[in-house]
Amino acid sequence: MNTIHHFVNGKKFSGDSKRVGKVFNPATGEQSAEVKLASTQDVNNAVDNAKKAFETWSNKPPLQRARVMFKFKELIEKNSDELTKIIVSEHGKVYEDAKGSLTRGLEVVEYACGIPQMLKGEFTENVGSNVDSWSIRQPLGVCAGITPFNFPAMVPMWMFPMAIACGNTFVLKPSEKDPSCSIKLAELLKEAGLPDGVLNIVNGDKEAVDALIKNKDVVAMSFVGSTPIAKYIYENCAKNEKRVQALGGAKNHCVVMPDCDLEQAVNGLMGAAYGSAGERCMAQSVAVAVGSIGDQLVSLLSKKVEALKVGPGMDKQSEMGPLVTKEHLAKVKDYVDIGVKEGAKLVVDGRNFKIQGYEKGYYIGGCLFDHVSKNMRIYKEEIFGPVLSVVRAKNFDEALSLVNDHEFGNGVSIFTRDGDSGRTFSSKAKIGMVGINIPIPVPMAFHSFGGWKRSLFGDQHMHGPEGVRFYTKLKTITSRWPSGSRTDPEFVMPTMK
Ligand code: NAD
């Protein structure tokens, strides 16, 4: 059995812990590896190495740090097929989708290549007479990241390229369900010239997470995962005096207006609800049919959901792969049962889906509910599977209220041909990322990614300009070089005369 170790101080690290987790290939249901689960001591060891590396890495000119990122970008491109296959083998998503997610991570590396420009700071000559003032942003120290299973390349790359380019060192704890991609990325960064100890990977579960939270040398924490854990991370990192950004779960709505191009909306919804088997934090799990469009929308959707090609991620014909684990498959099926019991109309039922030759894989067909109402659990809770709920709304205002009253606020979109509806919606929606005729409005690397309400705890979004702010602290220097007569002591607040 292949064992996945940690990666600390530039090399494989086995650690003291004897605990291991199991990693599966979701397409076949077979165990592919065991992964080490770090002890507190293993985590502290990684942090100690990161702390030591910070002394020299933080003093490297930003241009030199950028050059490592340029080289890293080349290596990711060169190794993209291998990285993509690793994602498919442990996550299950289809090859082209996995490759796309790798590219979205790569784009953050490309953004990080411009770090010398972003760290330039601001200068004012003569803030007072012969007094100058300037502001700079300095790295924080050892930063940590905890990431979810659903984007094993992209989400870690929202974090560590930005943190490292800003001059910090990093300890990443990826999801124990699909840990291999992070190890490969760390090896490539080493090959790109990153000094040992700047990026460290510890594999593990709650014990490793709690060790990172308690370690005083970890000064900032980035988290992406479900809302209960995001809240736990936010509260406990604050208690331990750390800077924290904790991104949580979602229930993204797609508002379908009666005036929209319906074919465009249906195609958009298909990709957004069933792509990656619905295991995306920006997946659309609720379609709000406004006015008279509901019956037509459901009829078109149902035909496409029934025709969805579900199969192993490496099969070029597959549009949707399996779910990540057996437990997750059971949870998603349970939600479909709950929806039926709650009285929603199950228009397409994917629960009994099976593929010959892959009977042990974690497959479910696409599921479509109609007449879902806002008091149902399938509407309120995140299912994180290929289950789309259609809710009927009388008009635009009712649709907007549904969006704004929901506890989550990650992404939302509206399909309409009416500029006024689109503009009003984007202005009034209490949601972090809004799409107008765009089904999955994920911001590019040079903008920033983050939700509102219970989809993000903390102040700053990920990557882009917010990423630079999160991974640096501001210092403002005021200086004068008086010559000749010395001034007398002043006992009042200095002000501009
Ligand atoms: P999860 O919350 O179960 O796990 C995330 C990370 O937290 C993992 O590294 C895991 O090991 C760790 N963890 C799990 N339980 C813990 C505990 N009790 N104490 C401490 N650490 C713990 O999430 P997941 O199932 O891996 O990922 C799916 C979730 O992530 C969904 O809710 C999805 O919406 C969310 N997500 C959000 C975004 C976003 O940008 N908002 C992006 C991707 C995924």
Side-chain angles (χ1 to χ4, degrees), residues 195-258:
D196 291 347
V198 177
L199 175 64
N200 307 277
I201 315 287
V202 285
N203 288 307
D205 52 10
K206 183 171 166 50
E207 182 173 346
V209 172
D210 287 342
L212 285 169
I213 293 174
K214 288 198 186 109
N215 191 307
K216 295 281 176 229
D217 289 324
V218 174
V219 292
M221 177 74 84
S222 301
F223 172 87
V224 176
S226 59
T227 289
I229 312 297
K231 188 167 184 287
Y232 172 82
I233 299 281
Y234 179 66
E235 289 173 351
N236 287 287
C237 285
K239 261 187 213 151
N240 284 277
E241 302 173 8
K242 295 182 199 327
R243 184 177 284 211
V244 55
Q245 50 180 184
L247 278 62
K251 194 82 183 175
N252 306 308
H253 293 53
C254 176
V255 174
V256 183
M257 294 295 287

Side-chain angles (χ1 to χ4, degrees), residues 412-425:
V412 72
S413 64
I414 184 168
F415 276 86
T416 180
R417 299 307 305 163
D418 178 53
D420 182 33
S421 304
R423 189 179 181 284
T424 307
F425 186 78

Side-chain angles (χ1 to χ4, degrees), residues 14 50 66 75 104 116 143 250 252 273 277 286 296 325 347 364 381 390 398:
S14 297
L75 288 170
R104 295 306 293 260
C143 302
N252 306 308
V286 179
Q296 224 185 331
T325 56
V347 182
I364 181 170
E381 296 169 22
V390 178
E398 197 179 308

Side-chain angles (χ1 to χ4, degrees), residues 105-379:
L106 173 66
E107 286 162 7
V108 179
V109 178
E110 289 173 329
Y111 180 73
C113 289
I115 201 70
Q117 169 70 15
M118 292 179 264
L119 294 180
K120 274 195 326 199
E122 294 176 322
F123 187 94
T124 305
E125 187 182 30
N126 281 332
V127 279
S129 301
N130 296 320
V131 176
D132 301 327
S133 188
W134 65 97
S135 303
I136 56 174
R137 301 204 72 98
Q138 293 188 321
L140 309 173
V142 181
C143 302
I146 295 161
T147 51
F149 78 82
N150 67 323
F151 284 110
M154 182 182 83
V155 172
M157 283 201 278
W158 284 353
M159 302 173 182
F160 70 75
M162 296 303 303
I164 287 171
C166 288
N168 303 285
T169 55
F170 206 84
V171 179
L172 172 69
K173 197 224 66 77
S175 169
E176 62 277 38
K177 291 176 188 144
D178 46 14
S180 297
C181 192
S182 300
I183 300 281
K184 179 72 190 168
L185 288 170
E187 286 168 358
L188 292 178
L189 247 179
K190 181 181 165 85
E191 196 182 329
L194 190 76
D196 291 347
V198 177
L199 175 64
N200 307 277
I201 315 287
V202 285
N203 288 307
D205 52 10
K206 183 171 166 50
E207 182 173 346
V209 172
D210 287 342
L212 285 169
I213 293 174
K214 288 198 186 109
N215 191 307
K216 295 281 176 229
D217 289 324
V218 174
V219 292
M221 177 74 84
S222 301
F223 172 87
V224 176
S226 59
T227 289
I229 312 297
K231 188 167 184 287
Y232 172 82
I233 299 281
Y234 179 66
E235 289 173 351
N236 287 287
C237 285
K239 261 187 213 151
N240 284 277
E241 302 173 8
K242 295 182 199 327
R243 184 177 284 211
V244 55
Q245 50 180 184
L247 278 62
K251 194 82 183 175
N252 306 308
H253 293 53
C254 176
V255 174
V256 183
M257 294 295 287
D259 59 47
C260 76
D261 178 329
L262 193 55
E263 200 189 327
Q264 230 176 54
V266 168
N267 285 337
L269 263 166
M270 285 302 298
Y274 301 101
S276 204
E279 292 170 322
R280 290 180 182 142
C281 62
M282 289 292 274
Q284 280 179 344
S285 46
V286 179
V288 184
V290 178
S292 57
I293 206 154
D295 290 347
Q296 224 185 331
L297 175 70
V298 172
S299 155
L300 289 173
L301 276 172
S302 63
K303 287 190 193 91
K304 294 210 177 215
V305 180
E306 273 161 5
L308 252 182
K309 295 191 190 102
V310 183
M314 287 308 293
D315 182 340
K316 284 201 167 64
Q317 304 299 315
S318 305
E319 294 167 326
M320 188 176 105
L323 291 172
V324 68
T325 56
K326 202 177 181 173
E327 294 72 29
H328 191 54
L329 174 65
K331 181 179 154 193
V332 172
K333 282 186 178 173
D334 280 352
Y335 267 114
V336 181
D337 296 346
I338 291 168
V340 172
K341 279 198 203 108
E342 286 177 316
K345 184 177 172 198
L346 185 58
V347 182
V348 184
D349 182 358
R351 283 175 294 182
N352 295 318
F353 183 88
K354 285 267 171 301
I355 316 178
Q356 213 179 3
Y358 293 92
E359 286 78 4
K360 289 194 177 141
Y362 312 136
Y363 299 94
I364 181 170
C367 299
L368 178 67
F369 276 112
D370 192 9
H371 297 290
V372 173
S373 62
K374 64 179 183 181
N375 53 345
M376 293 180 182
R377 278 185 64 195
I378 57 163
Y379 175 74

